[in-house]
């Protein structure tokens, strides 16, 4: 009887281990998808923010002639949007890639 119980325990642990592996793989896949969503958000959010600000009435960005539909100072929006997007992506890159590597290197050097 004890051999049968040990066999059932091992079988249960085997299935639980397989389930844990599948859960870990699924969590890793979802984590990658969330990073992609965060990256897409970081690309579009600064431009959307400045488009909202510049569409308000306290900026007069109308062109000089009546027939023009694109304001002559559109470059101001483009500069702000590109710079803020670059800063946002650089900050993301720093906190996701560079800083963890620095923290890992410093923890390894203090352990030795």
């Amino acid at each position: 009887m004890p051999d049968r119980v040990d066999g059932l325990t091992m079988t249960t642990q085997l299935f639980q281990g397989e389930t844990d592996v599948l859960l870990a793989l699924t969590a890793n896949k979802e984590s990658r998808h969330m990073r992609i969503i965060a990256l897409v958000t970081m690309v579009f959010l600064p431009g959307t923010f400045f488009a909202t600000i510049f569409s308000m009435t306290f900026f007069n960005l109308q062109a000089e002639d009546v027939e023009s539909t694109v304001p002559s100072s559109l470059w101001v929006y483009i500069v702000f949007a590109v710079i803020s997007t670059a800063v946002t992506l650089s900050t993301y890159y720093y906190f996701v890639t560079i800083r963890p590597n620095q923290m890992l290197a410093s923890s390894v050097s203090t352990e030795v």
Side-chain angles (χ1 to χ4, degrees), residues 41 43-55 77 81 85:
T41 301
V43 168
F44 286 104
L45 191 61
T48 305
F49 172 73
F50 285 111
T52 303
I53 296 295
F54 287 135
S55 70
Y77 163 73
T85 302

Side-chain angles (χ1 to χ4, degrees), residues 89-106:
L89 292 176
S90 300
T91 305
Y92 174 77
Y93 181 76
Y94 172 76
F95 280 108
V96 169
T97 304
I98 297 173
R99 188 170 182 210
N101 290 339
Q102 288 175 345
M103 293 175 69
L104 180 64
S106 68

Side-chain angles (χ1 to χ4, degrees), residues 37-76:
I37 291 170
L39 189 62
V40 168
T41 301
M42 283 185 260
V43 168
F44 286 104
L45 191 61
T48 305
F49 172 73
F50 285 111
T52 303
I53 296 295
F54 287 135
S55 70
M56 293 182 187
T57 57
F58 45 79
F59 290 107
N60 187 9
L61 299 177
Q62 298 300 323
E64 289 79 25
D65 55 9
V66 177
E67 296 178 11
S68 178
T69 58
V70 178
S72 61
S73 55
L74 180 65
W75 66 272
V76 175

Side-chain angles (χ1 to χ4, degrees), residues 15-29:
F15 285 128
Q16 185 177 7
E18 289 177 358
T19 304
D20 289 343
V21 169
L22 289 174
L23 285 172
L25 291 173
T26 304
N28 187 16
K29 186 177 179 181

